[in-house]
């Protein structure tokens, strides 16, 4: 299925039905009085966060969504039927913006969250509403109100706990395959990953976290080079970034330290807040380095790169070091979640 994480749609709520001006006509009742009913309300347009969706592809080709208008009022005290509402299912993590102003209208962060995108117009009043002691035969009626119409921009930010960062062919897809249930395409050429992949990593019973594999970044990504810049927004909600580095490039002329610095530079250019997130260094492909040279090569890289955070040495292909890394990630995420929870309220009766 094609991955779509940004699109524009038009939503239109239903117009309200008009009120009716009518008088009762019955045998032997010459002055039956007004009996015109009100018009029905127009249908609303809602958005529902659905945890079973992970892309906006349903809105790629169908761009206009219009709710049913309300029915007009009728005689014999009959009110118009309200228009049917429509509910648009969207992935959890979708941002809804006004396409004309860019203002953020809604964020769908919880499964089952329901938000109103466009309100249906109210129905008009029939002449029955205007009956009074001094106006016994009103002929007034009002038209229905128009429903709201908006051009909306939908933007999907994947809700992942951990994001993988690195150059093409750094081994990110191999790593996410080794530790999670994701099965991305893996090949020995750059830009194999063309869209984000999500995987659930299960550490133990009721212990898991979500990891996101994004297309690799290259130098100049902040200015639009490559593919990775298109998906960097998906890292903005993560709690931890893993900077995956190929410690054994095929070309001996390639300097892994210079490449890693270029990635960090592009990250800072794109979003300083993203650059400030916790970032761990993951040195991959150690299976391709002779065992006698591994320790020295790792020391040289860390010294030249001047990385201050945790460093992990792994081989995603053989899964060496992956279990320890996964356990450390889970502990970090669990601690972050605990820190974000509000303190429990203590009943004053039991305070010491």
């Amino acid at each position: 299925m094609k991955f779509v994480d940004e699109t524009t749609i038009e939503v239109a709520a239903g117009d309200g039905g008009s009120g009716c001006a009518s008088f009762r006509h019955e045998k032997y009742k010459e002055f039956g009085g007004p009996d015109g009913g009100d018009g029905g309300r127009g249908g609303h347009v809602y958005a529902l966060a659905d945890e079973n969706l992970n892309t906006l592809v349903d809105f790629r080709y169908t761009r206009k969504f219009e709710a049913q208008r309300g029915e007009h009022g009728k005689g014999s005290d009959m009110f118009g039927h309200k228009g049917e509402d429509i509910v648009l299912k969207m992935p959890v993590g979708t941002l809804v913006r006004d396409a004309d102003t860019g203002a953020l209208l809604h964020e769908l962060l919880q499964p089952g969250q329901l938000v109103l995108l466009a309100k249906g117009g109210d129905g008009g009043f029939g002449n029955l509403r205007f009956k009074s002691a001094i106006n016994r035969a009103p002929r007034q009626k009002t038209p229905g109100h128009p429903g709201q119409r908006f051009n909306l921009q939908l933007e999907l930010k994947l809700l992942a706990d951990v994001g993988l960062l690195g150059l093409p062919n750094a081994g990110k897809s191999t790593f996410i395959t080794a530790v999670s249930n994701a099965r991305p395409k893996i090949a020995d050429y750059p830009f194999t990953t063309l869209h984000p992949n999500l995987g659930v990593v299960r550490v133990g019973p009721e212990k898991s976290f979500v990891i996101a594999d994004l297309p690799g970044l290259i130098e100049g990504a902040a200015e639009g080079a490559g593919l990775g810049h298109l998906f960097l927004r998906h890292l903005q909600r993560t709690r931890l970034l893993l900077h995956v580095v190929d410690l054994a490039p095929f070309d001996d002329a390639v300097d892994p330290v210079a490449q890693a610095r270029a990635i960090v530079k592009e990250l800072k250019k794109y979003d300083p807040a993203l650059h400030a997130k916790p970032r761990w260094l993951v040195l991959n492909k150690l299976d391709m380095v002779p065992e006698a040279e591994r320790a020295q090569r790792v020391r040289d890289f860390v010294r030249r790169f001047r990385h201050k955070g945790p460093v992990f040495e792994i081989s995603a292909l053989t899964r060496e070091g992956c279990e320890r890394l996964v356990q450390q990630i889970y502990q970090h995420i669990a601690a972050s979640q605990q820190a974000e929870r509000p303190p429990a309220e203590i009943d004053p009766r039991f305070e010491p």
Side-chain angles (χ1 to χ4, degrees):
M1 181 173 64
K2 183 177 176 60
F3 181 86
V4 177
D5 67 343
E6 196 172 32
T7 188
T8 303
I9 63 172
E10 179 185 351
V11 296
D15 297 335
S18 299
C20 173
S22 173
F23 293 90
R24 189 178 303 278
H25 296 283
E26 291 185 30
K27 194 174 183 180
Y28 307 120
K29 288 189 178 180
E30 185 178 356
F31 303 104
D35 67 351
D38 296 345
R41 169 184 65 78
H44 299 321
V45 181
Y46 292 97
L48 175 66
D50 189 341
E51 61 184 338
N52 297 314
L53 299 177
N54 55 16
T55 176
L56 295 171
V57 70
D58 293 337
F59 305 99
R60 181 76 171 185
Y61 304 106
T62 304
R63 298 293 184 92
K64 186 171 182 179
F65 301 89
E66 191 167 0
Q68 187 180 25
R69 69 165 298 143
E71 191 178 28
H72 297 313
K74 300 177 182 179
S76 302
D77 300 336
M78 289 192 292
F79 286 31
H81 193 276
K82 71 175 183 179
E84 293 293 330
D85 301 334
I86 59 175
V87 179
L88 307 179
K89 293 183 179 180
M90 299 180 184
V92 177
T94 301
L95 276 65
V96 182
R97 302 180 187 273
D98 188 317
D100 300 322
T101 65
L104 179 63
L105 303 178
H106 306 285
E107 275 189 291
L108 303 177
L109 300 179
Q110 300 295 330
Q113 183 180 350
L114 187 70
V115 298
L116 179 65
L117 298 180
K119 182 179 181 296
D122 293 328
F125 290 157
N127 65 340
L128 182 60
R129 289 272 190 174
F130 298 96
K131 178 182 177 181
S132 69
I134 58 174
N135 187 12
R136 307 176 82 175
R139 299 183 183 276
Q140 300 101 312
K141 64 176 181 178
T142 60
H145 296 270
Q148 294 179 327
R149 308 177 78 92
F150 295 106
N151 291 318
L152 301 177
Q153 181 182 9
L154 306 181
E155 180 183 337
L156 175 61
K157 289 185 179 179
L158 299 178
L159 298 179
D161 300 301
V162 181
L164 299 183
L165 190 68
L167 285 168
N169 268 31
K172 301 186 300 299
S173 296
T174 305
F175 174 72
I176 197 175
T177 301
V179 301
S180 76
N181 59 354
R183 294 295 176 265
K185 182 178 180 181
I186 300 173
D188 59 353
Y189 53 84
F191 302 109
T192 311
T193 302
L194 300 179
H195 57 78
N197 293 293
L198 283 184
V200 177
V201 182
R202 303 202 178 276
V203 183
E206 299 183 1
K207 293 182 179 181
S208 64
F209 60 87
V210 179
I211 191 168
D213 170 29
L214 303 184
L217 286 175
I218 62 174
E219 191 169 357
E223 285 77 34
L227 295 172
H229 71 288
L230 298 174
F231 305 102
L232 275 175
R233 71 172 73 92
H234 298 307
L235 296 177
Q236 291 174 333
R237 286 202 176 111
T238 58
R239 291 186 170 89
L240 176 66
L241 300 178
L242 298 184
H243 187 169
V244 183
V245 176
D246 180 359
L247 206 59
F250 289 111
D251 188 353
D252 293 335
V254 173
D255 183 6
V257 175
Q259 290 185 331
R261 285 176 180 162
I263 294 300
V264 175
K265 183 179 178 182
E266 294 302 325
L267 195 65
K268 190 172 185 178
K269 269 195 215 175
Y270 178 81
D271 185 359
L274 191 58
H275 177 265
K277 281 183 177 290
R279 188 169 64 253
W280 293 0
L281 186 62
V282 179
L283 303 179
N284 190 24
K285 301 190 181 180
L286 284 185
D287 58 294
M288 300 181 66
V289 180
E291 194 167 347
E293 301 177 13
R294 290 183 186 179
Q296 183 61 38
R297 189 173 295 195
V298 169
R299 279 196 301 269
D300 290 345
F301 183 95
V302 174
R303 177 181 56 81
R304 292 176 56 207
F305 189 54
R306 298 179 182 177
H307 181 71
K308 304 298 183 184
V311 179
F312 295 87
E313 307 162 30
I314 70 165
S315 169
L317 185 64
T318 64
R319 306 194 180 190
E320 179 185 349
C322 291
E323 182 60 29
R324 173 175 170 266
L325 175 56
V326 165
Q327 293 292 339
Q328 293 290 325
I329 291 172
Y330 179 76
Q331 292 176 18
H332 175 85
I333 292 172
S336 300
Q337 291 173 336
Q338 182 65 32
E340 292 172 3
R341 293 192 186 102
E345 294 185 4
I346 302 175
D347 193 318
R349 296 174 297 174
F350 301 104
E351 286 184 352

